[in-house]
Amino acid sequence: MVDTKTPDDKKLSVPSKTLSLKPRVETGTVRQSFSHGRSKQVVVEKRGKRRVDGSPEPQAPAAVVARPAPAAPAPAPARQAPPRNAGSGVVLRTLTEDERSARASALADAKVREVEERRQAEDEAQRRAVRESAERVEREAAEARRKAEDERHRHEEEAKRKAETEAKKRFGEGEQSQAGARTATAAPAASAPRSSAPAAARPATTTGRPATTTARPATTTAQRPGAPGRAPGVAAGPDEDDGPRQIRRGPGGAMRPVAAPKTTHKPAPQKERGRLTLVTALNADEVRERSIASFRRRTQRLKGHASNEPKEKLIREVIIPEAITIQELANRMAERAVDVIRMLMKQGAMHKITDVIDADTAQLIAEELGHTVKRVAASDVEEGLFDAIEDSTDTETRSPVVTVMGHVDHGKTSLLDALRHANVVSGEAGGITQHIGAYQVLSPESGKKITFIDTPGHAAFTAMRARGAKVTDIVVLVVAADDGVMPQTVEAINHAKAARVPIIVAINKIDKPDAKPERVRTELLQHEVQVESFGGEVVDVEVSAKNKTNLDKLLEMIALQADILDLKTNSERPAEGTVIEAKLDRGRGPVATVLVQRGTLRVGDIIVAGAEMGRVRALISDQGETVQEAGPSVPVEVLGFNGPPEAGDRLAVVENEARARQITSYRAHQKRENAAASISGMRGSLEQMMSQLKTAGRKEFPLIIKADVQGSLEAILGSLEKLGTDEVAARILHAGVGGISESDVTLAEGFNAAIIGFSVRANKEAAAAAKRNGIEIRYYNIIYDLVDDVKKAMSGLLAPTLRETMLGNASILEIFNISKVGKVAGCRVTDGTVERGANVRLIRDNVVVHEGKLSTLKRFKDEVKEVQSGQECGMAFENYHDMRAGDVIECYRVETIQRSL
């Protein structure tokens, strides 16, 4: 086969076996060098770019020094068919469509890569330009700092030179001339060339030390201007120690001088720095580099100059409470506490940093320093907790809240049981209601729910009735037809009038034979309650809880009254309510019965009630079922409080725990302050001082009371407080909700107090500790029995009353002197009787001269117990013998009568 003559063209050959093309590569050799003197020769190939149109690749230059700028594109050579061997008879195959498309896509990818590489190169060039400009600015700033440092050194040296000149003038003209001669001799030596500098310096050093010291500043001054002109890379000689040294900063290799360390020139010889060791002695002629301490001093000096720059004044809004410490005030203003104390001293007040100042003083200081002030009070944390009622958003109809009130044993709970088809009465101790309860009843007529609140009727539960009247919409006044209007009925009427709620009178027990409904209506007129049958506006219904008579009519009247009131609410707002009752359950923890008044209470809400907070863990309805939410007018038991709240506290939902913690801490602080103020007995008005003096000597009956719920505890405390008098009173050491614990027994042991448990019991450990220490624990389920027993115990502390009973009188007829006995009066009993051992008075001329006891009473020779009127007897007194004839003896008995409250 004959090849073409062009060496760079593709050679087409037809070998005996296969047909192939010569690879489009150029080869060369490169020698690589490795460590330890090793090298290796490597073959390098360079591939040419494949052409899509089949034209030959242009010849690359032999050596590429730099990438030339793109020139105008040369005209592409005409596409020619490869030369064909006439004698071979072989026809070359043309490219297929797939091959052409593959080559076109490869060419497009190559162009994209080329554009991307060009863009990356431009970005790198821009970054390099920004970096070089930043380095240039930094070098210029460093040069400016160096010039400023040199200027400062020059001013310092001039000042020192002037000071030295003034000092030399004081020493006299002789010394000044000698110093001038030494300076003139040393100056040429300093300006000599560098080659002769060491030779000239040695005689000067050996001749006299002061000459060397004097010549050193001149040398420094002479060499400083020429120092920057030294070529970079040349090491500084020993004589150039004080000149600026060149250092390299940044990748650009720019040189900048560094200011020499500050040197102090003294007339005395300069001391060598550092200790004299073998290394320092051998290297004495070498150049000493800057020490680390020198760098630190320079950094501190630069920082000191920066800190002296004036700072911008920060104007803040300072929140000032009613009382604040000086430290806290300074922190809120971002000022120094020393400045605040200085201002207070200017006002004539001496304070420490921990002293507390009032809000007015803090406001004056803050305004004088240019800050704005916002005054707040501690009670501001409660702002927005209970928002005002917005009637515009109340669009949903809610169930009415009905409170059942009346006298004890008039059938309130029985009436509710008949409405609910329940039997709550059987579970009440003593057959009377001692707890406040909340229930829901479905009205058969309208199908709507009605919330009922049952209140106790006993006189001790006034606070419970007041709470029920506050949260209610309608009051149902239950009056027994056979009993009429009673004291607690009158109290219920007063509570309803104070709450300004409508009243519905339910005349109960009409099934009894002695029932007189007209009598009830007539007695209600005395208390300004006029029923409809008498021409008034108050609805009255005759019912019988036992026979379930007219119950549907009562529910109909309640629904009608609710429609008249047009009760609306908004269930989408945060929940608000009132704690009706609270207790401490051993298994469930603090449990509060809450009546939701507005909004919806949901599980997981953060709630606040009084001084207690918590997160709702569970909601339990009046039927004992667990619910996820409670809407308006729905009573539920809430689990999740940190402690049992007070009955009557308002409940609210807050947005986060931080807000709840602020509110509860403020309320707990207020509660502690009020308790401390009541216990401390601070001196008040004159009437209070007199009452304190009057009650200073009265006896106290210490008690520890534990009850099942907060309402019962409140009623017990109120009843015991009413039992107190000027002579004796009950002292409540501790009162709480829950069972009796060991801590209660320990407290009772310290004060020798009695423990009273109302519907609660002591645990095993507390009962054992009480038995071991002799502490009495009494359990009660009925408040009547509790109050009566405490009343009897307090009556035992009262001082008894002494009463005299006149027995009789006797007149002395004669006085007899009897040996071994003394004087004996012979008497005749004029009236009554005379008894031996009775108390006697001796009256002479209508004046009592002696009071004592009768020691001897004889009739004839016998001792007798008593002598009747008209008989004669002999009497002798104990430890008294001055008796005379004609005296009258009065005989009486003293009786002790126990008082009661």
Side-chain angles (χ1 to χ4, degrees):
M1 178 177 181
V2 181
D3 297 332
T4 58
K5 298 301 180 181
T6 306
D8 291 336
D9 293 340
K10 301 175 183 177
K11 295 181 179 181
L12 182 64
S13 61
V14 184
S16 60
K17 295 182 179 181
T18 59
L19 180 65
S20 62
L21 295 175
K22 183 178 179 180
R24 299 175 295 102
V25 295
E26 296 179 2
T27 60
T29 59
V30 175
R31 180 172 295 278
Q32 292 183 341
S33 299
F34 299 97
S35 60
H36 303 290
R38 294 182 294 112
S39 63
K40 180 181 179 182
Q41 190 169 3
V42 182
V43 178
V44 181
E45 296 181 354
K46 181 179 179 182
R47 291 182 176 273
K49 186 177 297 184
R50 184 181 296 274
R51 298 288 178 173
V52 179
D53 52 358
S55 60
E57 182 182 355
Q59 189 72 19
V64 179
V65 179
R67 186 174 184 178
R79 183 175 179 180
Q80 298 177 358
R84 183 182 305 171
N85 193 357
S88 63
V90 178
V91 179
L92 295 178
R93 181 179 62 85
T94 60
L95 296 177
T96 64
E97 292 296 330
D98 294 339
E99 291 176 346
R100 290 179 180 176
S101 62
R103 291 187 179 185
S105 62
L107 181 60
D109 293 342
K111 290 182 178 179
V112 170
R113 283 196 301 272
E114 184 179 359
V115 172
E116 183 67 22
E117 291 174 357
R118 187 182 300 109
R119 187 182 61 80
Q120 292 179 358
E122 292 175 356
D123 293 343
E124 182 65 25
Q126 291 179 359
R127 285 195 294 270
R128 188 181 303 108
V130 172
R131 186 167 59 251
E132 290 177 355
S133 64
E135 292 173 355
R136 183 168 59 255
V137 171
E138 185 179 355
R139 287 195 297 273
E140 292 175 357
E143 183 68 21
R145 287 196 298 270
R146 185 192 63 78
K147 291 180 179 179
E149 191 72 16
D150 292 344
E151 185 70 18
R152 189 175 61 82
H153 281 300
R154 188 175 62 79
H155 285 300
E156 290 179 358
E157 290 174 358
E158 290 179 359
K160 290 178 182 178
R161 191 180 300 109
K162 291 179 181 179
E164 291 176 359
T165 306
E166 293 295 332
K168 291 174 182 178
K169 288 181 179 180
R170 295 192 188 97
F171 288 116
E173 294 296 327
E175 295 182 1
Q176 186 176 6
S177 61
Q178 294 177 4
R182 286 195 297 269
T183 306
T185 306
S191 58
R194 182 176 300 178
S195 58
S196 60
R202 286 193 193 95
T205 306
T206 54
T207 306
R209 188 69 175 176
T212 308
T213 306
T214 309
R216 188 169 296 166
T219 307
T220 305
T221 307
Q223 290 180 0
R224 189 179 301 273
R230 193 167 57 243
V234 181
D239 295 335
E240 298 177 353
D241 240 356
D242 297 330
R245 292 185 293 274
Q246 300 289 339
I247 64 171
R248 184 179 299 273
R249 288 292 302 270
M255 306 296 294
R256 71 174 184 86
V258 177
K262 180 180 177 181
T263 57
T264 56
H265 301 280
K266 298 181 180 179
Q270 185 175 3
K271 296 175 63 176
E272 293 288 340
R273 292 183 295 176
R275 297 175 59 187
L276 181 61
T277 60
L278 183 61
V279 177
T280 56
L282 294 176
N283 300 333
D285 295 335
E286 294 182 0
V287 179
R288 290 201 59 179
E289 296 182 354
R290 186 185 297 273
S291 63
I292 298 177
S294 176
F295 276 111
R296 287 178 179 171
R297 287 192 297 270
R298 179 175 177 272
T299 305
Q300 290 177 359
R301 187 167 59 249
L302 294 178
K303 286 183 178 179
H305 291 315
S307 62
N308 292 333
E309 298 177 358
K311 296 182 179 180
E312 184 180 357
K313 177 72 174 179
L314 296 178
I315 304 300
R316 296 191 174 188
E317 183 183 14
V318 183
I319 299 176
I320 298 179
E322 296 175 351
I324 187 172
T325 62
I326 295 177
Q327 179 67 61
E328 181 65 20
L329 178 62
N331 292 341
R332 294 185 182 186
M333 296 188 301
E335 302 281 353
R336 296 192 309 164
V338 179
D339 299 335
V340 178
I341 294 175
R342 185 181 297 114
M343 296 183 66
L344 289 171
M345 292 175 64
K346 291 180 180 178
Q347 297 176 3
M350 301 295 294
H351 288 284
K352 301 188 298 297
I353 194 172
T354 56
D355 288 350
V356 178
I357 57 177
D358 60 326
D360 295 334
T361 306
Q363 182 177 358
L364 290 175
I365 293 174
E367 290 177 350
E368 189 172 348
L369 290 173
H371 301 282
T372 58
V373 176
K374 180 181 179 182
R375 295 281 291 270
V376 296
S379 59
D380 290 346
V381 296
E382 294 185 342
E383 286 186 0
L385 187 61
F386 298 102
D387 297 331
I389 304 174
E390 298 179 2
D391 296 334
S392 60
T393 61
D394 296 343
T395 57
E396 304 174 14
T397 304
R398 66 174 178 87
S399 303
V401 179
V402 181
T403 301
V404 181
M405 304 177 74
H407 192 71
V408 62
D409 201 24
H410 276 200
K412 299 181 297 298
T413 306
S414 300
L415 183 61
L416 272 180
D417 288 345
L419 293 172
R420 297 175 59 236
H421 305 287
N423 191 12
V424 179
V425 174
S426 60
E428 296 286 355
I432 62 171
T433 301
Q434 301 178 105
H435 303 83
I436 189 169
Y439 317 98
Q440 277 195 324
V441 176
L442 188 65
S443 176
E445 299 292 336
S446 61
K448 297 179 180 179
K449 288 186 177 181
I450 302 174
T451 301
F452 283 95
I453 297 177
D454 186 15
T455 60
H458 189 262
F461 297 96
T462 302
M464 281 192 186
R465 288 189 289 274
R467 279 199 302 276
K470 286 180 181 178
V471 299
T472 190
D473 299 319
I474 303 170
V475 169
V476 173
L477 183 64
V478 179
V479 185
D482 61 340
D483 203 7
V485 177
M486 299 299 288
Q488 269 62 58
T489 308
V490 178
E491 182 185 315
I493 294 173
N494 295 333
H495 283 313
K497 289 182 178 179
R500 296 181 180 180
V501 292
I503 300 175
I504 297 177
V505 178
I507 304 175
N508 196 13
K509 300 184 181 182
I510 61 172
D511 57 309
K512 286 193 173 184
D514 54 346
K516 297 179 181 179
E518 296 298 327
R519 172 194 167 192
V520 173
R521 295 186 179 96
T522 305
E523 290 179 352
L524 287 174
L525 290 174
Q526 301 176 5
H527 304 286
E528 300 178 358
V529 177
Q530 189 174 3
V531 296
E532 288 182 343
S533 59
F534 284 4
E537 298 179 354
V538 179
V539 180
D540 64 314
V541 181
E542 296 181 3
V543 297
S544 173
K546 184 177 180 181
N547 298 334
K548 299 183 179 180
T549 306
N550 291 337
L551 297 182
D552 53 348
K553 186 178 180 181
L554 178 62
L555 292 176
E556 183 182 353
M557 290 294 105
I558 293 174
L560 180 60
Q561 188 68 50
D563 291 340
I564 295 174
L565 294 175
D566 191 19
L567 304 172
K568 300 289 185 180
T569 186
N570 180 13
S571 61
E572 299 300 326
R573 57 172 293 163
E576 294 180 13
T578 302
V579 179
I580 298 176
E581 195 60 275
K583 62 182 178 179
L584 187 62
D585 196 300
R586 186 168 185 178
R588 299 184 298 172
V591 180
T593 302
V594 176
L595 176 65
V596 182
Q597 294 173 297
R598 286 187 292 275
T600 303
L601 183 63
R602 297 179 176 84
V603 175
D605 288 345
I606 301 173
I607 51 178
V608 173
E612 301 295 338
M613 61 166 285
R615 185 185 294 272
V616 179
R617 292 191 288 110
L619 297 174
I620 301 174
S621 65
D622 60 322
Q623 302 294 332
E625 300 175 354
T626 302
V627 295
Q628 294 298 319
E629 61 181 25
S633 302
V634 177
V636 287
E637 285 188 346
V638 179
L639 279 67
F641 277 101
N642 295 341
E646 298 280 342
D649 288 340
R650 296 187 65 185
L651 179 140
V653 175
V654 296
E655 57 273 11
N656 50 41
E657 291 187 6
R659 175 80 188 283
R661 208 172 290 114
Q662 286 180 350
I663 296 171
T664 53
S665 61
Y666 165 70
R667 290 179 175 176
H669 179 68
Q670 293 293 109
K671 192 175 180 181
R672 287 193 301 269
E673 284 188 349
N674 295 337
S678 62
I679 293 174
S680 60
M682 299 174 63
R683 184 167 61 182
S685 62
L686 183 60
E687 291 80 8
Q688 293 176 352
M689 294 175 61
M690 295 301 293
S691 64
Q692 290 176 7
L693 291 174
K694 187 177 180 181
T695 60
R698 70 177 180 178
K699 297 179 181 179
E700 294 180 342
F701 183 47
L703 288 173
I704 294 176
I705 300 174
K706 300 300 286 290
D708 56 344
V709 294
Q710 194 74 36
S712 299
L713 179 65
E714 184 181 32
I716 293 170
L717 294 179
S719 300
L720 295 182
E721 187 178 356
K722 294 178 182 178
L723 294 178
T725 62
D726 294 340
E727 299 181 23
V728 64
R731 180 187 179 189
I732 309 300
L733 297 177
H734 174 64
V737 176
I740 300 172
S741 59
E742 288 184 272
S743 60
D744 300 328
V745 177
T746 305
L747 181 61
E749 181 185 2
F751 289 89
N752 195 19
I755 300 177
I756 294 177
F758 185 79
S759 298
V760 295
R761 292 294 181 269
N763 55 37
K764 184 178 179 181
E765 294 80 7
K771 185 177 181 181
R772 183 172 60 252
N773 298 325
I775 303 299
E776 182 182 9
I777 300 179
R778 290 198 175 188
Y779 302 109
Y780 298 93
N781 292 328
I782 303 174
I783 195 171
Y784 296 125
D785 300 337
L786 187 150
V787 175
D788 292 342
D789 286 356
V790 174
K791 186 175 181 180
K792 291 177 182 178
M794 292 174 61
S795 299
L797 297 177
L798 293 173
T801 302
L802 300 179
R803 186 173 63 183
E804 293 184 1
T805 303
M806 184 63 63
L807 298 177
N809 294 326
S811 60
I812 299 176
L813 302 177
E814 190 68 35
I815 302 299
F816 303 96
N817 288 321
I818 299 175
S819 59
K820 298 181 182 179
V821 177
K823 289 184 179 183
V824 176
C827 308
R828 177 185 289 115
V829 179
T830 57
D831 59 348
T833 60
V834 176
E835 296 179 359
R836 185 178 58 185
N839 294 327
V840 292
R841 293 190 186 95
L842 183 62
I843 301 175
R844 183 179 298 160
D845 298 332
N846 294 327
V847 177
V848 178
V849 295
H850 173 68
E851 288 188 9
K853 283 190 174 184
L854 194 63
S855 62
T856 302
L857 179 63
K858 289 188 177 183
R859 177 157 174 78
F860 301 105
K861 294 183 179 180
D862 300 326
E863 288 281 345
V864 293
K865 291 184 178 180
E866 65 177 7
V867 177
Q868 299 295 330
S869 175
Q871 296 180 356
E872 295 181 354
C873 61
M875 290 186 287
F877 296 163
E878 290 182 357
N879 303 322
Y880 188 77
H881 301 285
D882 186 15
M883 295 176 291
R884 299 177 187 177
D887 293 346
V888 177
I889 298 175
E890 185 180 290
C891 185
Y892 63 94
R893 184 190 303 118
V894 177
E895 295 179 354
T896 302
I897 300 176
Q898 185 64 37
R899 297 166 57 193
S900 62
L901 294 173

